[in-house]
Amino acid sequence: MSTPRPPQPAKLVVGLFLKDQALLPGLAAELEDRFGPVELVSPWMPFDYTAYYETEMGAPLFRRALAFRDMIAQDGLARIKRATNAIEQVHMVEGRRRVNIDPGYLLLARFVLATGKDYSHRIYIGEGIYADLTLVFERGAFRPLPWTYPDYADRPLRDFLQRVRGKYAGELNRVLKNRASRP
C-alpha cells in the first residue's frame, strides 16, 4: 500500500510569447504582483516553430520565460493558469491576444505546463485546466516527449529550465532541511 505524502513545493515558470517586446516589463510587473518576484529570466528566443498564432498576434513572435523566487503548491497550477488567462484578456485589442502566457511548474524530475486544451496525455486538474507533462529529467538533462511543444523541446528553453532546476534544487534542499528540523 502506498502512503500518501504531501507533494514537494514546485518552482513556478511562466513562458510568454508576443510580438511587441516592449510589453514585457508591464506584463512581468503584473505577474510579480500575483506570484512574487522574478528570480531568473531567459534570453529572448524567436518563436518561429509554427505560424498558428500569427493571424491573431502578428509576426515575428518572440518568447521569454520567467522563473519566480517563491515556490508554489503543485495543486495551485489551475488557479495560476486562470490568473494568467485573465492577464491575457486584459491586454487583448479588438478581440486579439497580444501575449500568450504559459504557466508551468518545475520539479527535479519533470516540467509541467497548464493548458485549457484536453488531449490524450493531459490530466484534468480542475477549473477547466489540464496538466501537460512537457519534459522529464533523465540522464542529467530535460528530455522532450513525443508531444512536447517544439519550443520547449528546443535547446534554448531546455537550457534555461536546466538553470532554473539548479536554483530550485538548492532551494528545495533548504526547505526540506527546515521541515526536518521542526518538531
Side-chain angles (χ1 to χ4, degrees):
M1 173 174 89
S2 66
T3 305
R5 294 184 179 163
Q8 292 183 339
K11 188 63 131 177
L12 176 61
V13 178
V14 175
L16 304 96
F17 62 86
L18 42 85
K19 180 179 177 186
D20 183 1
Q21 295 178 5
L23 292 173
L24 185 67
L27 291 164
E30 288 181 64
L31 292 166
E32 285 185 312
D33 286 345
R34 291 181 187 244
F35 309 121
V38 170
E39 185 172 56
L40 294 171
V41 179
S42 77
W44 282 107
M45 297 167 259
F47 185 83
D48 54 6
Y49 302 92
T50 177
Y52 179 83
Y53 298 93
E54 290 179 6
T55 301
E56 179 182 18
M57 300 176 72
L61 295 172
F62 303 94
R63 174 172 293 287
R64 195 159 227 188
L66 312 173
F68 290 79
R69 183 192 69 199
D70 301 335
M71 290 204 225
I72 62 164
Q74 292 180 48
D75 62 5
L77 188 58
R79 177 189 52 78
I80 291 167
K81 177 63 175 170
R82 302 278 297 205
T84 60
N85 283 353
I87 293 170
E88 286 183 13
Q89 287 180 331
V90 166
H91 290 276
M92 289 176 86
V93 173
E94 297 177 2
R96 294 180 179 202
R97 286 183 298 172
R98 296 171 60 200
V99 62
N100 181 298
I101 306 173
D102 297 319
Y105 64 71
L106 183 140
L107 298 167
L108 293 177
R110 64 189 163 275
F111 180 70
V112 176
L113 283 171
T115 179
K117 299 173 195 135
D118 188 11
Y119 203 70
S120 60
H121 64 279
R122 295 177 179 158
I123 307 299
Y124 185 71
I125 57 174
E127 299 187 44
I129 304 301
Y130 298 82
D132 181 307
L133 177 60
T134 301
L135 299 166
V136 294
F137 194 83
E138 296 178 329
R139 299 182 306 276
F142 280 109
R143 308 281 179 203
L145 299 158
W147 53 79
T148 300
Y149 295 114
D151 53 332
Y152 283 91
D154 206 358
R155 203 79 198 160
L157 201 43
R158 286 191 298 134
D159 287 348
F160 173 71
L161 292 172
Q162 189 88 14
R163 282 184 39 225
V164 174
R165 186 182 184 276
K167 189 100 173 126
Y168 168 72
E171 294 167 8
L172 184 61
N173 242 355
R174 285 189 293 280
V175 167
L176 296 178
K177 281 181 184 176
N178 285 343
R179 281 185 187 170
S181 67
R182 292 185 195 155

